Amino acid sequence: MRKFMTLISEEMEKAFAAAGYDSALGRVTVSNRPDLCEYQCNGAMAGAKRYHKAPLMIAGDVAKALEGSSVFESVEAVKPGFLNLKVSEKFASDYIRQMGEDERFGMPLPGKPSTIILDYGGPNVAKPLHVGHLRSAVIGESVKRIARWHGEKVIGDIHLGDWGLQMGLVITEVKKRQPELPYFDADFAGDYPEEAPFTVSELEEIYPTASAKSKEDPEYYAEAMANTHRLQDGDRGLRALWQKIIDVSVADLKKNYENLNVDFDLWWGESSVHDAIPAMVQGMRDSGKAYESSGALVVDVSEETDTKEIPPCIILKSDGASLYTTTDLATISERERLYHPDKIIYITDKRQELHFKQVFRCARRCGLLPESTELVHIGFGTMNGKDGKPFKTREGGVMRLSTLIADINEEMKRKISANPEIGEEEAERTAEQVALAALKYGDLSNQASKDYVFDIDRFTSFEGDTGPYLLYTIVRIKSILSKYEESTGRKAKDQEIALPKSKLEKDLMLDLTAFQSVMDGAYQDAAPHRICAYIYELSNDFNSFYHATRILTESDEAKRNGWIALLALTLRVMETCIDVLGFSAPDRM
Ligand code: ARG
């Protein structure tokens, strides 16, 4: 099916042409005066100069050409030259009836799907997940689902931070505590123990301890650096210990992400491309792009048009060590070698903007991937507390993701337990489901690049622009539909959408017609917040219609069945939308 907006614009374009004007003037937009009309066209204003005519005259000519249109119910030329439009009830209801007949609501699949690699999550091994990683996971998961829904082939990669100094720090601290372990014995030739020498909670304590010590004690720091090098150079014992750190940490990460309804196709890390670095560096040297500068190996990435200086990309430090940049570049090479992606999207804190600018330019300059491959960085803003400062624990420390989730679960459980019909166990399950919606919607409903305030009270409210409000609306529809099915023995999905009986009903229908444009726009701009805004409006319009209409007690069967069909479609659209946002709705709450 073609987009609703495209169809009505075409009708308008034909009318401009029929009245003797350029058809390109006939673009239709949603009305910015919903009290006066549903859609509008400003083409007559734009054409006034060209045709040396008053805009109102042009608009009048076009309105005349639209007399008898099956698309528009009314076309008004108003001062100073706007065309105020209402679409025909039949045209709108026919359109959504057709949408309902198709699994994808009439949205076509791309001719040839693109291959997209989505780099998100990005947790660091051995460090606990903190709220900063929440945004990357939540936004990334949604961007992935939106692109998949659009019909693209998306490969999600977590890109673990598993190779830098933090690994050397953990190794150093473990060595201080358990020097007798075979990992540190250069002469040990046997098999290393199955069991890791630490639990995940020990690991989470080891890293901050080591990090603090290294800041106070230069010798400790030097040792951690040395261990990082030995690990990267392939020391057998340290590699084996490192693998234990990865195993323990990844098992825990998997649990955490599962709770967030986030999953990855690839669990690559910075370390995965270690062996690909030498060949990449050699290529950069051979092409003359990389050169020595005060001992380090660098590639210039500045461009003439830069207004701010973009420093060169450091590929190798003077001691030969690779950096975050190096592993990111080698990862691009490997992704190209294995997947030939059309696009690679990275989702990180926007403070990494310069890093990605350098990496992208360097990758292009060194020819690591074809010209046509798109590289995109989506930088997100900070999650702040109510005080407007980065979200912290009450004691002022970095908030752990698990604590934050526990807090929001608890608040949700308190609210849901207030419903006496819901037992303890169901309340618990439902609270988790609704809390996830509260958390994710609270994040996704903001444009990603903006900072936002994490406000548990607001996010968990059943009213306003919140996740729980949407779920509540969905639950309400589900309940009406099941009551209908129970009392009539008919299936809601077999009913047919009829002509709207009221303005509120038509408004709801018009919201539904916009589905395809919204999904497509959210895909093109990697913008989940557009979907949020859409279902919020859809929910509001549904609730207005619902409050004004006695659906189940309507005695005119045809009327009632038409409404049931409209509700069933509204429900399917809403559930599709929340699914691409990464959460789901319970049956009751
Ligand atoms: N581990 C990094 C961090 O915590 C994020 C990784 C993002 N992805 C990438 N390819 N650099 O900041």
Side-chain angles (χ1 to χ4, degrees), residues 342-372:
D342 298 292
K343 199 195 260 197
I344 308 178
I345 305 177
Y346 299 80
I347 302 187
T348 76
D349 191 305
K350 69 180 172 203
R351 282 170 288 193
Q352 294 195 29
E353 216 155 81
L354 178 60
H355 165 76
F356 283 104
K357 187 168 248 172
Q358 290 176 301
V359 166
F360 293 175
R361 285 185 179 185
C362 185
R364 297 235 179 265
R365 241 173 233 203
C366 299
L368 300 186
L369 76 185
E371 239 15 278
S372 59

PDB file of all heavy atoms in Angstrom, residues 342-372:
ATOM      1  N   ASP A 342      26.133  -2.341   4.344  1.00  0.00           N
ATOM      2  CA  ASP A 342      25.814  -1.093   3.642  1.00  0.00           C
ATOM      3  C   ASP A 342      25.944   0.082   4.596  1.00  0.00           C
ATOM      4  O   ASP A 342      26.100   1.218   4.193  1.00  0.00           O
ATOM      5  CB  ASP A 342      24.370  -1.132   3.122  1.00  0.00           C
ATOM      6  CG  ASP A 342      24.184  -2.249   2.120  1.00  0.00           C
ATOM      7  OD1 ASP A 342      24.765  -2.139   1.028  1.00  0.00           O
ATOM      8  OD2 ASP A 342      23.500  -3.247   2.438  1.00  0.00           O
ATOM      9  N   LYS A 343      25.821  -0.230   5.883  1.00  0.00           N
ATOM     10  CA  LYS A 343      25.818   0.842   6.867  1.00  0.00           C
ATOM     11  C   LYS A 343      26.304   0.293   8.204  1.00  0.00           C
ATOM     12  O   LYS A 343      25.983  -0.853   8.545  1.00  0.00           O
ATOM     13  CB  LYS A 343      24.359   1.305   7.021  1.00  0.00           C
ATOM     14  CG  LYS A 343      24.183   2.674   7.641  1.00  0.00           C
ATOM     15  CD  LYS A 343      22.746   2.884   8.071  1.00  0.00           C
ATOM     16  CE  LYS A 343      21.927   3.689   7.120  1.00  0.00           C
ATOM     17  NZ  LYS A 343      20.691   4.216   7.669  1.00  0.00           N
ATOM     18  N   ILE A 344      27.071   1.086   8.934  1.00  0.00           N
ATOM     19  CA  ILE A 344      27.409   0.718  10.319  1.00  0.00           C
ATOM     20  C   ILE A 344      26.945   1.871  11.206  1.00  0.00           C
ATOM     21  O   ILE A 344      27.255   3.033  10.935  1.00  0.00           O
ATOM     22  CB  ILE A 344      28.928   0.495  10.531  1.00  0.00           C
ATOM     23  CG1 ILE A 344      29.495  -0.483   9.488  1.00  0.00           C
ATOM     24  CG2 ILE A 344      29.202  -0.028  11.951  1.00  0.00           C
ATOM     25  CD1 ILE A 344      31.003  -0.716   9.616  1.00  0.00           C
ATOM     26  N   ILE A 345      26.166   1.536  12.213  1.00  0.00           N
ATOM     27  CA  ILE A 345      25.651   2.563  13.123  1.00  0.00           C
ATOM     28  C   ILE A 345      26.225   2.318  14.518  1.00  0.00           C
ATOM     29  O   ILE A 345      26.186   1.185  15.009  1.00  0.00           O
ATOM     30  CB  ILE A 345      24.108   2.517  13.211  1.00  0.00           C
ATOM     31  CG1 ILE A 345      23.482   2.629  11.815  1.00  0.00           C
ATOM     32  CG2 ILE A 345      23.577   3.617  14.125  1.00  0.00           C
ATOM     33  CD1 ILE A 345      21.948   2.506  11.823  1.00  0.00           C
ATOM     34  N   TYR A 346      26.738   3.352  15.142  1.00  0.00           N
ATOM     35  CA  TYR A 346      27.265   3.262  16.505  1.00  0.00           C
ATOM     36  C   TYR A 346      26.379   4.074  17.439  1.00  0.00           C
ATOM     37  O   TYR A 346      26.014   5.207  17.105  1.00  0.00           O
ATOM     38  CB  TYR A 346      28.678   3.854  16.581  1.00  0.00           C
ATOM     39  CG  TYR A 346      29.702   3.161  15.719  1.00  0.00           C
ATOM     40  CD1 TYR A 346      29.778   3.431  14.361  1.00  0.00           C
ATOM     41  CD2 TYR A 346      30.600   2.254  16.273  1.00  0.00           C
ATOM     42  CE1 TYR A 346      30.724   2.803  13.564  1.00  0.00           C
ATOM     43  CE2 TYR A 346      31.547   1.615  15.484  1.00  0.00           C
ATOM     44  CZ  TYR A 346      31.606   1.891  14.133  1.00  0.00           C
ATOM     45  OH  TYR A 346      32.534   1.268  13.349  1.00  0.00           O
ATOM     46  N   ILE A 347      26.087   3.502  18.593  1.00  0.00           N
ATOM     47  CA  ILE A 347      25.261   4.242  19.543  1.00  0.00           C
ATOM     48  C   ILE A 347      26.018   4.398  20.853  1.00  0.00           C
ATOM     49  O   ILE A 347      26.203   3.431  21.596  1.00  0.00           O
ATOM     50  CB  ILE A 347      23.916   3.523  19.738  1.00  0.00           C
ATOM     51  CG1 ILE A 347      23.255   3.431  18.347  1.00  0.00           C
ATOM     52  CG2 ILE A 347      23.046   4.263  20.751  1.00  0.00           C
ATOM     53  CD1 ILE A 347      21.883   2.924  18.317  1.00  0.00           C
ATOM     54  N   THR A 348      26.505   5.603  21.096  1.00  0.00           N
ATOM     55  CA  THR A 348      27.248   5.869  22.338  1.00  0.00           C
ATOM     56  C   THR A 348      26.892   7.259  22.852  1.00  0.00           C
ATOM     57  O   THR A 348      26.242   8.043  22.166  1.00  0.00           O
ATOM     58  CB  THR A 348      28.783   5.874  22.123  1.00  0.00           C
ATOM     59  OG1 THR A 348      29.157   7.100  21.478  1.00  0.00           O
ATOM     60  CG2 THR A 348      29.256   4.694  21.297  1.00  0.00           C
ATOM     61  N   ASP A 349      27.378   7.520  24.023  1.00  0.00           N
ATOM     62  CA  ASP A 349      27.317   8.848  24.607  1.00  0.00           C
ATOM     63  C   ASP A 349      27.849   9.888  23.596  1.00  0.00           C
ATOM     64  O   ASP A 349      28.828   9.632  22.909  1.00  0.00           O
ATOM     65  CB  ASP A 349      28.234   8.802  25.844  1.00  0.00           C
ATOM     66  CG  ASP A 349      28.083  10.020  26.707  1.00  0.00           C
ATOM     67  OD1 ASP A 349      28.240  11.140  26.187  1.00  0.00           O
ATOM     68  OD2 ASP A 349      27.829   9.848  27.912  1.00  0.00           O
ATOM     69  N   LYS A 350      27.224  11.051  23.531  1.00  0.00           N
ATOM     70  CA  LYS A 350      27.668  12.010  22.508  1.00  0.00           C
ATOM     71  C   LYS A 350      29.050  12.591  22.794  1.00  0.00           C
ATOM     72  O   LYS A 350      29.644  13.210  21.923  1.00  0.00           O
ATOM     73  CB  LYS A 350      26.614  13.086  22.258  1.00  0.00           C
ATOM     74  CG  LYS A 350      26.378  14.064  23.351  1.00  0.00           C
ATOM     75  CD  LYS A 350      25.290  15.051  22.928  1.00  0.00           C
ATOM     76  CE  LYS A 350      24.891  15.922  24.092  1.00  0.00           C
ATOM     77  NZ  LYS A 350      23.554  16.501  23.945  1.00  0.00           N
ATOM     78  N   ARG A 351      29.549  12.338  24.002  1.00  0.00           N
ATOM     79  CA  ARG A 351      30.908  12.802  24.277  1.00  0.00           C
ATOM     80  C   ARG A 351      31.958  12.061  23.443  1.00  0.00           C
ATOM     81  O   ARG A 351      33.109  12.450  23.410  1.00  0.00           O
ATOM     82  CB  ARG A 351      31.222  12.669  25.769  1.00  0.00           C
ATOM     83  CG  ARG A 351      30.592  13.801  26.567  1.00  0.00           C
ATOM     84  CD  ARG A 351      30.679  13.581  28.044  1.00  0.00           C
ATOM     85  NE  ARG A 351      29.769  12.532  28.456  1.00  0.00           N
ATOM     86  CZ  ARG A 351      29.446  12.274  29.715  1.00  0.00           C
ATOM     87  NH1 ARG A 351      29.977  13.005  30.684  1.00  0.00           N
ATOM     88  NH2 ARG A 351      28.611  11.302  30.020  1.00  0.00           N
ATOM     89  N   GLN A 352      31.534  11.002  22.774  1.00  0.00           N
ATOM     90  CA  GLN A 352      32.485  10.280  21.910  1.00  0.00           C
ATOM     91  C   GLN A 352      32.426  10.760  20.452  1.00  0.00           C
ATOM     92  O   GLN A 352      32.968  10.116  19.558  1.00  0.00           O
ATOM     93  CB  GLN A 352      32.220   8.772  21.981  1.00  0.00           C
ATOM     94  CG  GLN A 352      32.513   8.208  23.355  1.00  0.00           C
ATOM     95  CD  GLN A 352      32.604   6.676  23.375  1.00  0.00           C
ATOM     96  OE1 GLN A 352      32.964   6.043  22.396  1.00  0.00           O
ATOM     97  NE2 GLN A 352      32.266   6.090  24.512  1.00  0.00           N
ATOM     98  N   GLU A 353      31.782  11.895  20.239  1.00  0.00           N
ATOM     99  CA  GLU A 353      31.609  12.403  18.879  1.00  0.00           C
ATOM    100  C   GLU A 353      32.934  12.576  18.130  1.00  0.00           C
ATOM    101  O   GLU A 353      33.079  12.133  16.990  1.00  0.00           O
ATOM    102  CB  GLU A 353      30.917  13.764  18.969  1.00  0.00           C
ATOM    103  CG  GLU A 353      29.953  14.037  17.863  1.00  0.00           C
ATOM    104  CD  GLU A 353      28.906  15.040  18.318  1.00  0.00           C
ATOM    105  OE1 GLU A 353      29.222  16.243  18.295  1.00  0.00           O
ATOM    106  OE2 GLU A 353      27.804  14.603  18.728  1.00  0.00           O
ATOM    107  N   LEU A 354      33.894  13.205  18.795  1.00  0.00           N
ATOM    108  CA  LEU A 354      35.175  13.468  18.133  1.00  0.00           C
ATOM    109  C   LEU A 354      35.872  12.156  17.784  1.00  0.00           C
ATOM    110  O   LEU A 354      36.420  11.995  16.686  1.00  0.00           O
ATOM    111  CB  LEU A 354      36.065  14.334  19.042  1.00  0.00           C
ATOM    112  CG  LEU A 354      37.454  14.649  18.480  1.00  0.00           C
ATOM    113  CD1 LEU A 354      37.354  15.422  17.156  1.00  0.00           C
ATOM    114  CD2 LEU A 354      38.297  15.430  19.484  1.00  0.00           C
ATOM    115  N   HIS A 355      35.814  11.217  18.723  1.00  0.00           N
ATOM    116  CA  HIS A 355      36.414   9.902  18.467  1.00  0.00           C
ATOM    117  C   HIS A 355      35.872   9.305  17.174  1.00  0.00           C
ATOM    118  O   HIS A 355      36.632   8.857  16.302  1.00  0.00           O
ATOM    119  CB  HIS A 355      36.137   8.969  19.652  1.00  0.00           C
ATOM    120  CG  HIS A 355      36.386   7.516  19.370  1.00  0.00           C
ATOM    121  ND1 HIS A 355      37.660   6.979  19.316  1.00  0.00           N
ATOM    122  CD2 HIS A 355      35.535   6.497  19.085  1.00  0.00           C
ATOM    123  CE1 HIS A 355      37.568   5.683  19.033  1.00  0.00           C
ATOM    124  NE2 HIS A 355      36.294   5.366  18.890  1.00  0.00           N
ATOM    125  N   PHE A 356      34.552   9.308  17.022  1.00  0.00           N
ATOM    126  CA  PHE A 356      33.973   8.685  15.834  1.00  0.00           C
ATOM    127  C   PHE A 356      34.238   9.500  14.576  1.00  0.00           C
ATOM    128  O   PHE A 356      34.433   8.939  13.502  1.00  0.00           O
ATOM    129  CB  PHE A 356      32.486   8.390  16.034  1.00  0.00           C
ATOM    130  CG  PHE A 356      32.283   7.168  16.901  1.00  0.00           C
ATOM    131  CD1 PHE A 356      31.888   7.286  18.226  1.00  0.00           C
ATOM    132  CD2 PHE A 356      32.562   5.900  16.406  1.00  0.00           C
ATOM    133  CE1 PHE A 356      31.744   6.166  19.031  1.00  0.00           C
ATOM    134  CE2 PHE A 356      32.431   4.774  17.205  1.00  0.00           C
ATOM    135  CZ  PHE A 356      32.017   4.902  18.522  1.00  0.00           C
ATOM    136  N   LYS A 357      34.287  10.798  14.720  1.00  0.00           N
ATOM    137  CA  LYS A 357      34.616  11.615  13.554  1.00  0.00           C
ATOM    138  C   LYS A 357      36.003  11.223  13.043  1.00  0.00           C
ATOM    139  O   LYS A 357      36.216  10.999  11.860  1.00  0.00           O
ATOM    140  CB  LYS A 357      34.585  13.101  13.946  1.00  0.00           C
ATOM    141  CG  LYS A 357      34.745  14.023  12.765  1.00  0.00           C
ATOM    142  CD  LYS A 357      34.421  15.453  13.144  1.00  0.00           C
ATOM    143  CE  LYS A 357      33.150  15.891  12.452  1.00  0.00           C
ATOM    144  NZ  LYS A 357      32.654  17.165  12.878  1.00  0.00           N
ATOM    145  N   GLN A 358      36.962  11.106  13.976  1.00  0.00           N
ATOM    146  CA  GLN A 358      38.321  10.726  13.581  1.00  0.00           C
ATOM    147  C   GLN A 358      38.355   9.330  12.975  1.00  0.00           C
ATOM    148  O   GLN A 358      38.981   9.105  11.937  1.00  0.00           O
ATOM    149  CB  GLN A 358      39.250  10.764  14.807  1.00  0.00           C
ATOM    150  CG  GLN A 358      39.516  12.160  15.314  1.00  0.00           C
ATOM    151  CD  GLN A 358      40.364  12.107  16.577  1.00  0.00           C
ATOM    152  OE1 GLN A 358      39.983  11.502  17.568  1.00  0.00           O
ATOM    153  NE2 GLN A 358      41.529  12.731  16.523  1.00  0.00           N
ATOM    154  N   VAL A 359      37.671   8.397  13.634  1.00  0.00           N
ATOM    155  CA  VAL A 359      37.675   7.010  13.161  1.00  0.00           C
ATOM    156  C   VAL A 359      37.059   6.915  11.759  1.00  0.00           C
ATOM    157  O   VAL A 359      37.618   6.279  10.864  1.00  0.00           O
ATOM    158  CB  VAL A 359      36.921   6.096  14.160  1.00  0.00           C
ATOM    159  CG1 VAL A 359      36.612   4.738  13.546  1.00  0.00           C
ATOM    160  CG2 VAL A 359      37.730   5.921  15.434  1.00  0.00           C
ATOM    161  N   PHE A 360      35.930   7.588  11.558  1.00  0.00           N
ATOM    162  CA  PHE A 360      35.261   7.502  10.248  1.00  0.00           C
ATOM    163  C   PHE A 360      36.143   8.087   9.143  1.00  0.00           C
ATOM    164  O   PHE A 360      36.300   7.506   8.084  1.00  0.00           O
ATOM    165  CB  PHE A 360      33.910   8.251  10.275  1.00  0.00           C
ATOM    166  CG  PHE A 360      32.864   7.619  11.164  1.00  0.00           C
ATOM    167  CD1 PHE A 360      31.630   8.247  11.370  1.00  0.00           C
ATOM    168  CD2 PHE A 360      33.094   6.407  11.800  1.00  0.00           C
ATOM    169  CE1 PHE A 360      30.654   7.670  12.182  1.00  0.00           C
ATOM    170  CE2 PHE A 360      32.119   5.832  12.631  1.00  0.00           C
ATOM    171  CZ  PHE A 360      30.901   6.467  12.823  1.00  0.00           C
ATOM    172  N   ARG A 361      36.718   9.263   9.438  1.00  0.00           N
ATOM    173  CA  ARG A 361      37.555   9.890   8.414  1.00  0.00           C
ATOM    174  C   ARG A 361      38.771   9.030   8.109  1.00  0.00           C
ATOM    175  O   ARG A 361      39.176   8.875   6.956  1.00  0.00           O
ATOM    176  CB  ARG A 361      38.001  11.266   8.886  1.00  0.00           C
ATOM    177  CG  ARG A 361      36.889  12.287   8.825  1.00  0.00           C
ATOM    178  CD  ARG A 361      37.443  13.634   9.179  1.00  0.00           C
ATOM    179  NE  ARG A 361      36.415  14.662   9.108  1.00  0.00           N
ATOM    180  CZ  ARG A 361      36.675  15.955   9.273  1.00  0.00           C
ATOM    181  NH1 ARG A 361      37.921  16.348   9.528  1.00  0.00           N
ATOM    182  NH2 ARG A 361      35.713  16.847   9.197  1.00  0.00           N
ATOM    183  N   CYS A 362      39.371   8.491   9.167  1.00  0.00           N
ATOM    184  CA  CYS A 362      40.564   7.674   8.984  1.00  0.00           C
ATOM    185  C   CYS A 362      40.226   6.426   8.168  1.00  0.00           C
ATOM    186  O   CYS A 362      40.961   6.046   7.255  1.00  0.00           O
ATOM    187  CB  CYS A 362      41.119   7.316  10.359  1.00  0.00           C
ATOM    188  SG  CYS A 362      42.666   6.422  10.282  1.00  0.00           S
ATOM    189  N   ALA A 363      39.093   5.799   8.476  1.00  0.00           N
ATOM    190  CA  ALA A 363      38.680   4.586   7.752  1.00  0.00           C
ATOM    191  C   ALA A 363      38.519   4.895   6.262  1.00  0.00           C
ATOM    192  O   ALA A 363      38.938   4.124   5.401  1.00  0.00           O
ATOM    193  CB  ALA A 363      37.370   4.056   8.322  1.00  0.00           C
ATOM    194  N   ARG A 364      37.944   6.054   5.962  1.00  0.00           N
ATOM    195  CA  ARG A 364      37.749   6.434   4.556  1.00  0.00           C
ATOM    196  C   ARG A 364      39.086   6.732   3.882  1.00  0.00           C
ATOM    197  O   ARG A 364      39.347   6.277   2.789  1.00  0.00           O
ATOM    198  CB  ARG A 364      36.874   7.682   4.462  1.00  0.00           C
ATOM    199  CG  ARG A 364      35.486   7.489   4.994  1.00  0.00           C
ATOM    200  CD  ARG A 364      34.442   7.852   3.949  1.00  0.00           C
ATOM    201  NE  ARG A 364      33.109   7.637   4.497  1.00  0.00           N
ATOM    202  CZ  ARG A 364      32.404   6.532   4.318  1.00  0.00           C
ATOM    203  NH1 ARG A 364      32.894   5.556   3.572  1.00  0.00           N
ATOM    204  NH2 ARG A 364      31.210   6.388   4.851  1.00  0.00           N
ATOM    205  N   ARG A 365      39.894   7.525   4.574  1.00  0.00           N
ATOM    206  CA  ARG A 365      41.166   7.894   3.986  1.00  0.00           C
ATOM    207  C   ARG A 365      42.023   6.678   3.699  1.00  0.00           C
ATOM    208  O   ARG A 365      42.750   6.630   2.711  1.00  0.00           O
ATOM    209  CB  ARG A 365      41.938   8.804   4.943  1.00  0.00           C
ATOM    210  CG  ARG A 365      42.157  10.132   4.260  1.00  0.00           C
ATOM    211  CD  ARG A 365      42.743  11.126   5.130  1.00  0.00           C
ATOM    212  NE  ARG A 365      41.843  12.280   5.035  1.00  0.00           N
ATOM    213  CZ  ARG A 365      42.209  13.503   5.307  1.00  0.00           C
ATOM    214  NH1 ARG A 365      43.428  13.748   5.756  1.00  0.00           N
ATOM    215  NH2 ARG A 365      41.362  14.483   5.185  1.00  0.00           N
ATOM    216  N   CYS A 366      41.973   5.708   4.591  1.00  0.00           N
ATOM    217  CA  CYS A 366      42.816   4.523   4.426  1.00  0.00           C
ATOM    218  C   CYS A 366      42.103   3.443   3.616  1.00  0.00           C
ATOM    219  O   CYS A 366      42.617   2.333   3.483  1.00  0.00           O
ATOM    220  CB  CYS A 366      43.254   3.994   5.783  1.00  0.00           C
ATOM    221  SG  CYS A 366      44.219   5.196   6.701  1.00  0.00           S
ATOM    222  N   GLY A 367      40.931   3.753   3.107  1.00  0.00           N
ATOM    223  CA  GLY A 367      40.221   2.808   2.235  1.00  0.00           C
ATOM    224  C   GLY A 367      39.849   1.501   2.919  1.00  0.00           C
ATOM    225  O   GLY A 367      39.920   0.430   2.320  1.00  0.00           O
ATOM    226  N   LEU A 368      39.450   1.560   4.190  1.00  0.00           N
ATOM    227  CA  LEU A 368      39.103   0.326   4.892  1.00  0.00           C
ATOM    228  C   LEU A 368      37.748  -0.229   4.456  1.00  0.00           C
ATOM    229  O   LEU A 368      37.412  -1.360   4.758  1.00  0.00           O
ATOM    230  CB  LEU A 368      39.072   0.550   6.412  1.00  0.00           C
ATOM    231  CG  LEU A 368      40.371   1.028   7.075  1.00  0.00           C
ATOM    232  CD1 LEU A 368      40.208   1.066   8.587  1.00  0.00           C
ATOM    233  CD2 LEU A 368      41.544   0.138   6.694  1.00  0.00           C
ATOM    234  N   LEU A 369      36.969   0.598   3.782  1.00  0.00           N
ATOM    235  CA  LEU A 369      35.648   0.114   3.334  1.00  0.00           C
ATOM    236  C   LEU A 369      35.229   0.909   2.109  1.00  0.00           C
ATOM    237  O   LEU A 369      35.778   1.988   1.851  1.00  0.00           O
ATOM    238  CB  LEU A 369      34.626   0.180   4.485  1.00  0.00           C
ATOM    239  CG  LEU A 369      34.001   1.493   4.926  1.00  0.00           C
ATOM    240  CD1 LEU A 369      33.144   1.264   6.148  1.00  0.00           C
ATOM    241  CD2 LEU A 369      35.047   2.528   5.260  1.00  0.00           C
ATOM    242  N   PRO A 370      34.304   0.377   1.308  1.00  0.00           N
ATOM    243  CA  PRO A 370      33.922   1.071   0.081  1.00  0.00           C
ATOM    244  C   PRO A 370      33.318   2.441   0.367  1.00  0.00           C
ATOM    245  O   PRO A 370      32.703   2.641   1.421  1.00  0.00           O
ATOM    246  CB  PRO A 370      32.863   0.157  -0.550  1.00  0.00           C
ATOM    247  CG  PRO A 370      32.887  -1.118   0.207  1.00  0.00           C
ATOM    248  CD  PRO A 370      33.538  -0.872   1.512  1.00  0.00           C
ATOM    249  N   GLU A 371      33.521   3.330  -0.577  1.00  0.00           N
ATOM    250  CA  GLU A 371      32.962   4.687  -0.545  1.00  0.00           C
ATOM    251  C   GLU A 371      31.489   4.688  -0.120  1.00  0.00           C
ATOM    252  O   GLU A 371      31.042   5.527   0.639  1.00  0.00           O
ATOM    253  CB  GLU A 371      32.964   5.177  -1.985  1.00  0.00           C
ATOM    254  CG  GLU A 371      33.696   6.437  -2.491  1.00  0.00           C
ATOM    255  CD  GLU A 371      34.714   7.068  -1.625  1.00  0.00           C
ATOM    256  OE1 GLU A 371      34.282   7.828  -0.748  1.00  0.00           O
ATOM    257  OE2 GLU A 371      35.925   6.878  -1.853  1.00  0.00           O
ATOM    258  N   SER A 372      30.737   3.730  -0.665  1.00  0.00           N
ATOM    259  CA  SER A 372      29.287   3.747  -0.512  1.00  0.00           C
ATOM    260  C   SER A 372      28.815   3.320   0.885  1.00  0.00           C
ATOM    261  O   SER A 372      27.657   3.552   1.242  1.00  0.00           O
ATOM    262  CB  SER A 372      28.649   2.824  -1.542  1.00  0.00           C
ATOM    263  OG  SER A 372      29.163   1.509  -1.345  1.00  0.00           O
TER     264      SER A 372
END
